[in-house]
Amino acid sequence: MSDLNALMDDLTRRMDGALESLRRDFAGLRSGRASPALLEPVRVEAYGGEVPLTQVGSIAVPEARMLTVQVWDRVLVGAVERAIRDAGLGLNPAADGQVVRVPIPQLTEERRHELARAAARYAEGAKIAARGVRRDGMDKAKAFEKKGDISQDDVKTWSDAIQKLTDQYVKKIDDMLSDKEREIKQV
């Protein structure tokens, strides 16, 4: 039984990671106000690879509808500008020396629908991650059975517990999605 507890703890930790990742993704979906979290998912082509925007500059909110990125390396200003534009956030950055200004436009009805669809994509990705964790848990249960550590009845018990855990996390993801959609569609 301690094997089951250890397995469930591991699966819970990994599913919590999927939820945390979804929270960060949702923070990047704007709801009309400027927030540094909006640019956190942006990755910049720099130093021979892709790095998070926060590793090449600092993000500030000088006013309610404006973000600025103070790029530390002058050579990367164009790459930062391009990365923000290509991130699919509907933003049009403009470079001003080593500062990239990112005005936050008013959300149109069409843009709200786009953001809701993006939120649904993020939620689906989190569900896929949770199901992958479930699959790993089921595989481990079967491996224990194969080694002779547990019986077929135990595998059934473990499978039921793993499925119940997965269902709980899928429900949490659905709840987070409906909250985010409500926030996005608020005018």
Side-chain angles (χ1 to χ4, degrees):
M1 204 59 176
S2 67
D3 288 335
L4 174 60
N5 291 337
L7 178 63
M8 294 303 285
D9 288 345
D10 179 52
L11 298 180
T12 300
R13 182 187 51 77
R14 291 172 57 197
M15 286 189 191
D16 281 339
L19 276 185
E20 190 51 41
S21 176
L22 180 62
R23 273 190 199 93
R24 280 193 306 274
D25 289 343
F26 278 177
L29 290 177
R30 64 191 176 90
S31 54
R33 291 180 302 278
S35 164
L38 178 62
L39 297 179
E40 283 179 8
V42 175
R43 299 191 58 80
V44 179
E45 198 60 48
Y47 310 119
E50 277 196 353
V51 297
L53 177 64
T54 54
Q55 289 184 8
V56 296
S58 54
I59 304 168
V61 185
E63 54 191 75
R65 302 186 61 76
M66 174 75 70
L67 290 170
T68 58
V69 180
Q70 176 68 45
V71 183
W72 300 320
D73 187 348
R74 181 178 295 280
V75 199
L76 297 177
V77 172
V80 167
E81 193 178 359
R82 201 170 26 263
I84 293 170
R85 188 172 292 114
D86 296 344
L89 298 170
L91 301 174
N92 193 17
D96 181 11
Q98 276 189 252
V99 175
V100 176
R101 298 188 187 289
V102 186
I104 307 297
Q106 188 71 18
L107 286 179
T108 63
E109 192 61 32
E110 179 183 330
R111 185 65 186 143
R112 289 180 195 280
H113 288 298
E114 279 179 39
L115 291 172
R117 282 194 299 274
R121 278 194 310 275
Y122 288 148
E124 188 56 36
K127 287 180 187 178
I128 289 169
R131 291 182 194 122
V133 171
R134 175 191 63 195
R135 186 183 55 248
D136 289 349
M138 298 291 195
D139 290 347
K140 285 181 183 174
K142 289 176 185 162
F144 275 119
E145 179 193 16
K146 216 174 234 174
K147 284 195 291 183
D149 292 345
I150 63 173
S151 68
Q152 280 186 333
D153 290 343
D154 289 339
V155 171
K156 175 75 171 120
T157 303
W158 286 31
S159 296
D160 291 346
I162 293 168
Q163 184 59 50
K164 185 176 177 188
L165 180 70
T166 305
D167 292 343
Q168 289 170 350
Y169 276 86
V170 167
K171 182 177 181 346
K172 287 179 185 180
I173 292 167
D174 287 338
D175 292 346
M176 287 173 65
L177 175 61
S178 65
D179 289 347
K180 189 63 180 182
E181 285 176 332
R182 205 172 13 262
E183 176 189 322
I184 289 171
K185 291 181 179 178
Q186 222 172 34
V187 179

